[in-house]
Amino acid sequence: MDKRLGQSLIAKALLQPSDLDKALELQPGYALANLGRARVFGSRGEFDKARPAVEAAIQKDPRLAEAYWLRGFLFQREGNLEKAEEDYETTIRFDPRHFTAWACRGTMRDMRGEVGPAMTDFKEALRLAPPSWPDRPRVEARLATLRARGGSRRP
């Protein structure tokens, strides 16, 4: 791994909401600071705090694909699958290379028994994702299961 990339990842992991609050004080319209806050809260399991931060990011930058993905994830956690899928679709529209959004939308479709579209989404996620993607084995396994069933609906 590139040393700068590794340092950047470590720095992101150590960010605290207060660090991002300072960024927002200096530049109130900075959508990425709000998104960063949402990520920090989400990584801590503080989903009730993540939601307002991600909403603020979307309000400040309505084309910020990653914010729609994160909000979709939050909707999915709450069981609001319709809104989750809408946000995954918005993510893909704004960033067609967002492999996690493809996998998440595939999961939504798979849950509804839409096997063909789910398989298409899973294939696209795998095509776009790096080999080191942590969810790759799970997506590959689900795709293999769907293929083994001949693309038929889930029981």
Side-chain angles (χ1 to χ4, degrees), residues 21-87:
D21 290 343
K22 184 65 177 171
L24 287 168
E25 279 178 36
L26 297 172
Q27 196 172 8
Y30 190 43
L32 291 176
N34 283 292
L35 179 59
R37 291 182 86 237
R39 286 180 180 152
V40 170
F41 289 133
S43 70
R44 294 177 172 183
E46 298 177 49
F47 302 111
D48 57 322
K49 293 179 180 176
R51 171 58 65 76
V54 79
E55 294 290 353
I58 290 170
Q59 182 179 19
K60 291 175 182 177
D61 184 353
R63 295 187 55 84
L64 187 57
E66 185 70 13
Y68 286 97
W69 173 81
L70 182 54
R71 188 173 70 177
F73 171 80
L74 295 171
F75 280 135
Q76 185 175 345
R77 273 196 89 262
E78 296 167 359
N80 191 337
L81 304 184
E82 185 176 316
K83 286 199 175 279
E85 187 169 0
E86 287 174 16
D87 277 349

